Amino acid sequence: MSILSAPKNLTRNVLIGMALGVLIASLFHYHLNSSALFIFVEKYLFNLGGQVFKNLLMLVVVPLVFFSLVSGISSLSNMVKLGSIATKTIGLYLFTTGLAVTTALIFGWVFNLSGYEGEVASFTPVAGEASLYDTVLRIFPNNIFGAFVENNMLGIVFVSILFGIALNLTDELTGGMSKSFERLNTVFLKIVLLIMSFAPVGVFCLMGSYVMAKGLNIFGDLAQYVVLLIFVLLFHLTVTYSLMLKFFANLNPFIFFQKMRNVALFAFSTSSSAATIPVTLKTVTDDLGVKKDVSSFVIPVGATINMDGTAIMQGLATMFIASTVGVDLTLTQYAQIVLLAIITSIGTAAVPSAGTVTLALILGSVGLPLDAIGLILAVDRILDMIRTSVNVCGDATVSCIVAKSENELEEKIFNKLG
Ligand code: ASP
């Protein structure tokens, strides 16, 4: 086993951690929920443990993205390639998100998604996170350190690209400084692996804290919405991505999904594409064979702007809310939903429940009441976990396709199993 390989039996241990977390937390939720022990276990075991684990993952995101992007770009032999990678990446991200929300609307229409008839929980809408204007401005921060301190991923990507290009052009002058960045990148990869070896415990706590609070009823009173949403998410994940991998890159989807298991589990348990970046980056580079100059750009950008799962939720939630309040959406409004879902997915932060907040932007612009979001909040926790897994698998799919088209995919590594 090399110093940089993943912890042994990670998937199995993470699954065991998840199952134990659910089991023990349900015991508390259903049988010991009035005890003082309940409060203690919820706060100091599950919540604290889960938060510490998420913090550890987030801790490495910024340096990892910076060093891998800088070392990837500084080793590029020609800069035109960078432009071509960026154009394809962004084009494909917009395309997959558009496809995702359109699929959701078609399924919603075919299955005649109907509204809610019970009592509506109260909800105070929060203003949507970021307009297109703000998002563009975030790409160009006015303070390098500000971007890093604020975890502004698009700004960090921009600064890293700029730095990488300058390093590339001055490598001789600086005595081969790019090698030092390469080495630092290796150190951060090792940190990711060290953190990942605690994943089974981290995931145990995260799952436990969800179940302690909400129990096991993931459906609430919204069975049709929940089932249809899960169905479309799985459809997009398995059918759309498989077809894209096969037709755009002639890659075997089964191998892809097998290697993405851990990434999907991390995304599921953290509900955050951003916190999953370290794991996605490592898997896509080391197991799927995408070279670092592609993965180090495509993955952090994808985690920030590409959210197919979120777009699917937003499409179906808008239909569901329209039907609840008795509004018949017109064809123009459907087109508006597709366009807005693409734009909001760019502005949605890659953290838990962010998509539910930006849903307000879509509802507002098609004239639906924002407080109707209260309807879907009860079931949003589990749906967020599933859609985040879809979001990160979408990022990985696009990185394989872009890498293949740029001759930057090592198919030997992609096809190697076991
Ligand atoms: N949790 C999602 C993510 O991080 C965003 C969302 O849909 O709420 O990708």
Side-chain angles (χ1 to χ4, degrees), residues 271-273 307 310 348-356 384 387-388 391:
S271 293
S272 165
S273 307
M307 299 199 180
T310 305
T348 302
V351 296
S353 299
T356 324
D384 190 9
R387 70 178 183 252
T388 308
N391 290 346

Side-chain angles (χ1 to χ4, degrees), residues 7 50 78 125 172 224 233 258 323-324 327 349 354 363 388:
N78 108 41
E172 260 177 45
Q224 195 201 7
L233 287 169
Q258 184 157 0
S323 162
T324 303
V327 170
L363 294 181
T388 308

Side-chain angles (χ1 to χ4, degrees), residues 62 137-141 146-157:
V62 172
L137 274 188
R138 270 193 291 138
I139 302 177
F140 306 101
F148 282 70
V149 171
E150 289 158 15
N151 265 333
N152 165 6
M153 196 50 69
L154 293 178
I156 294 169
V157 166

Side-chain angles (χ1 to χ4, degrees), residues 27-45:
L27 202 74
F28 272 97
H29 183 87
Y30 293 106
H31 299 291
L32 299 164
N33 52 8
S34 52
S35 65
L37 189 63
F38 179 96
I39 300 169
F40 184 81
V41 169
E42 180 174 32
K43 184 161 179 194
Y44 288 101
L45 177 68

Side-chain angles (χ1 to χ4, degrees), residues 278-388:
V279 191
T280 321
L281 206 49
K282 171 151 190 4
T283 305
V284 166
T285 317
D286 293 355
D287 304 332
L288 295 174
V290 176
K291 290 207 188 133
K292 215 174 52 205
D293 38 359
V294 173
S295 61
S296 60
F297 174 77
V298 182
I299 296 303
V301 170
T304 318
I305 72 166
N306 182 49
M307 299 199 180
D308 296 355
T310 305
I312 290 171
M313 177 279 283
Q314 293 180 330
L316 282 183
T318 310
M319 279 183 99
F320 175 75
I321 288 170
S323 162
T324 303
V325 296
V327 170
D328 273 332
L329 294 167
T330 63
L331 212 56
T332 325
Q333 280 173 315
Y334 279 118
Q336 210 175 335
I337 295 170
V338 173
L339 215 65
L340 284 166
I342 298 175
I343 297 172
T344 37
S345 103
I346 300 173
T348 302
V351 296
S353 299
T356 324
V357 176
T358 49
L359 173 63
L361 287 177
I362 302 185
L363 294 181
S365 48
V366 288
L368 291 169
L370 305 194
D371 55 358
I373 294 179
L375 275 178
I376 55 166
L377 281 189
V379 291
D380 200 56
R381 195 57 270 135
I382 180 79
L383 297 173
D384 190 9
M385 298 161 106
I386 305 174
R387 70 178 183 252
T388 308

